[in-house]
Amino acid sequence: MTAPRAVPPPSPPSPDHDARRLGARLDTLRRHLDRLPRKAVRSPAEQSTARTLLADGRAAREEFLARHAPAVYARLTDDLRSPLRVAGLLAAAAEHYPGLVPGEAELAEDSGRAQRDKEGWEIDQGLFVGRVLDDPVSGRHLLHAMARPRERAERLLDEFRQQDTVDLGPVAVHHKNGVGYVVFQNHRYLNAEDDASNQALEIAVDLVLLDDRVDVGVLRGGVATHPKWAGRRVFGAGINLTHLRQGRISLVDFFLDREMGAVNKMYRGHPGDFTGEPEPRSLREKPWIAAVDSFAIGGGCQFLLVMDHVVAEHGSYVNLPAGREGIIPGCGVMRLPRFVGEAIARQAVLFSRDIPVDSPEGRMVVADTVPAQEMEAAVDRAVEGLRATGMSSVLANRRAMRIGGEPLDTFRTYMANYAREQAYCAYSQAVFDNLDRNWGR
């Protein structure tokens, strides 16, 4: 008697097959949504209907991405041969997989609207990026693409070498005696951060890393012109909450670019060729010093957590007031507990606790506190201290500490969650209410 032949299991549906089904489903949901008035004038019942339609669409996208995110990413990047930044990746996804992420039309609809009046299409961008980062191969490749020098920085490199300075608007970068000084000068907003300042900061960081004359980077606020602080330096006032309320802070150009771009480049440098290794060596990496005058609020504090040395003016303070703002303070939630312990970090993040730099907790973040008139000398001493150690030793040790404290896959996993949760936070009722209550002026 012949044994029955085993029937092979059916092949799983291809990404293209599922993408067509997803596109048809999302098209139906979108037609229903388009029948409603725009968000700002919807009735409570219409708002409820819209939330249901949007939630159904997001659930369908998540189901598709849970099965196919690596295959989709491979297709969009020509099997990992084309490094795409987040913005380019999302544009390619919108073209090749209609409905999976918002296209130009959806983003244009929300452009110019106050944050609370936007439909929230950026949430779908966050879901997509989060799924890409969840996958080790795709996620490492995306982080590699985001850590490469920007084309504009490469175009400006000759100018920087010839003139020793480049003014990028909200940020300037200067070279002197082998030190690259990145200076915040967004004076109208006390160096608060927004899309434009973040893009300028990344170019400035790239120039410091690209210029072979530079061996140390220094981050500092310029002399303020704001009436209340005229003549004094301030380090940074965090995210520009006025711009966030007005709908002018982008998930891609600010929240994601900032963490995977400028901040990560200061922490890890520029990468070499993509190898897929969990902890690749950097092609260009330099130590960084921060000089804190007056305050380092929110994002300003986050910068300090990737520095190799922090000098601060007596009487200044740092904080991460995320509880008051309603958003996630970048990678500060991951990094601050390494400095001050989890209990104090929870107080800072959840209860907006200020940390004076002269306090015991402040000295866990800041290495040296000096009077205002001694700040330049303190920075110079830190530079010479690093040079005396020897740059090969400095770079080897900062890499060793990074591997022990925050391996690349830890960062990748954190950013996968951050991409999703920050998108939802930015469109939460809590953020709308906080902005209206505290920054509606």
Side-chain angles (χ1 to χ4, degrees):
M1 183 174 177
T2 304
R5 287 173 29 181
V7 178
S11 299
S14 70
D16 288 345
H17 174 271
D18 281 358
R20 287 191 293 271
R21 293 181 57 198
L22 174 67
R25 171 65 175 153
L26 295 175
D27 186 60
T28 299
L29 293 172
R30 181 58 196 266
R31 286 200 302 271
H32 287 302
L33 186 65
D34 286 345
R35 294 190 187 108
L36 299 173
R38 62 186 178 88
K39 183 181 177 183
V41 295
R42 287 173 190 157
S43 67
E46 290 166 338
Q47 293 280 23
S48 178
T49 298
R51 284 194 295 269
T52 299
L53 291 170
L54 291 167
D56 287 350
R58 285 167 189 147
R61 293 181 181 95
E62 287 270 48
E63 182 181 357
F64 172 83
L65 290 167
R67 293 197 300 270
H68 300 304
V72 167
Y73 185 81
R75 177 181 177 184
L76 297 177
T77 59
D78 189 23
D79 286 327
L80 309 186
R81 286 187 284 266
S82 297
L84 296 178
R85 288 180 64 91
V86 169
L89 179 67
L90 289 167
E95 178 182 352
H96 291 287
Y97 297 94
L100 182 58
V101 296
E104 292 183 4
E106 288 88 354
L107 297 174
E109 285 177 11
D110 272 355
S111 179
R113 293 176 178 170
Q115 191 72 6
R116 67 162 53 248
D117 294 333
K118 292 185 175 186
E119 202 68 78
W121 296 114
E122 288 183 316
I123 293 174
D124 301 294
Q125 294 181 319
L127 298 179
F128 178 81
V129 174
R131 284 292 183 179
V132 168
L133 290 167
D134 276 332
D135 178 66
V137 175
S138 304
R140 291 170 191 166
H141 188 264
L142 179 57
L143 291 177
H144 176 271
M146 291 296 293
R148 288 159 53 93
R150 301 291 294 264
E151 290 182 4
R152 187 184 176 199
E154 293 177 324
R155 293 195 303 270
L156 287 170
L157 183 57
D158 284 344
E159 177 184 335
F160 184 53
R161 286 171 171 161
Q162 292 169 11
Q163 301 184 11
D164 284 327
T165 185
V166 173
D167 189 332
L168 297 162
V171 175
V173 56
H174 313 288
H175 165 257
K176 183 179 180 181
N177 298 328
V179 179
Y181 295 89
V182 175
V183 180
F184 301 120
Q185 53 183 28
N186 195 10
H187 298 308
R188 179 181 178 186
Y189 297 104
L190 289 176
N191 295 332
E193 299 177 69
D194 53 24
D195 288 14
S197 70
N198 178 61
Q199 299 300 307
L201 174 63
E202 187 172 353
I203 300 300
V205 171
D206 279 339
L207 288 171
V208 170
L209 293 173
L210 287 167
D211 193 334
D212 293 335
R213 301 173 303 167
V214 174
D215 57 4
V216 179
V218 172
L219 202 61
R220 193 177 189 187
V223 178
T225 60
H226 190 285
K228 184 178 179 180
W229 296 86
R232 293 183 58 186
R233 289 182 185 265
V234 298
F235 189 74
I239 187 173
N240 189 322
L241 292 163
T242 299
H243 283 189
L244 179 58
R245 183 174 184 267
Q246 294 169 347
R248 296 165 59 191
I249 299 291
S250 164
L251 177 70
V252 172
D253 292 336
F254 184 78
F255 288 118
L256 298 182
D257 270 14
R258 182 183 188 276
E259 302 309 316
M260 294 191 281
V263 179
N264 191 43
K265 287 174 179 179
M266 286 186 279
Y267 194 46
R268 289 184 170 86
H270 288 152
D273 294 334
F274 179 69
T275 63
E277 296 173 280
E279 203 60 46
R281 288 188 174 276
S282 301
L283 177 64
R284 301 180 200 88
E285 182 176 348
K286 294 173 185 178
W288 287 83
I289 297 166
V292 177
D293 302 271
S294 305
F295 47 75
I297 296 172
C301 177
Q302 294 165 36
F303 292 132
L304 309 186
L305 307 180
V306 298
M307 296 287 113
D308 298 286
H309 190 85
V310 180
V311 177
E313 174 189 12
H314 281 320
S316 54
Y317 68 93
V318 304
N319 67 13
L320 284 177
R324 205 154 45 94
E325 298 168 353
I327 57 177
I328 303 172
C331 291
V333 178
M334 172 174 59
R335 292 169 178 154
L336 186 62
R338 300 204 298 261
F339 287 76
V340 300
E342 189 169 330
I344 293 172
R346 285 182 183 274
Q347 293 172 32
V349 173
L350 302 179
F351 296 95
S352 303
R353 171 178 171 173
D354 291 343
I355 302 177
V357 299
D358 299 298
S359 68
E361 298 81 10
R363 294 307 301 270
M364 296 176 183
V365 178
V366 172
D368 195 10
T369 60
V370 298
Q373 64 270 22
E374 296 180 19
M375 286 288 287
E376 283 79 7
V379 170
D380 290 343
R381 285 195 301 271
V383 170
E384 292 311 311
L386 287 170
R387 287 173 172 164
T389 301
M391 284 302 157
S392 60
S393 173
V394 168
L395 298 181
N397 280 291
R398 83 191 300 263
R399 172 180 162 79
M401 284 188 279
R402 190 169 62 237
I403 291 172
E406 187 185 308
L408 184 65
D409 276 344
T410 298
F411 176 59
R412 175 184 59 78
T413 303
Y414 180 92
M415 287 304 301
N417 179 73
Y418 177 82
R420 290 186 286 262
E421 298 299 328
Q422 188 72 294
Y424 276 116
C425 283
Y427 287 93
S428 68
Q429 190 62 44
V431 160
F432 302 154
D433 292 343
N434 285 343
L435 292 173
D436 287 347
R437 179 169 55 251
N438 298 312
W439 289 275
R441 298 181 289 279

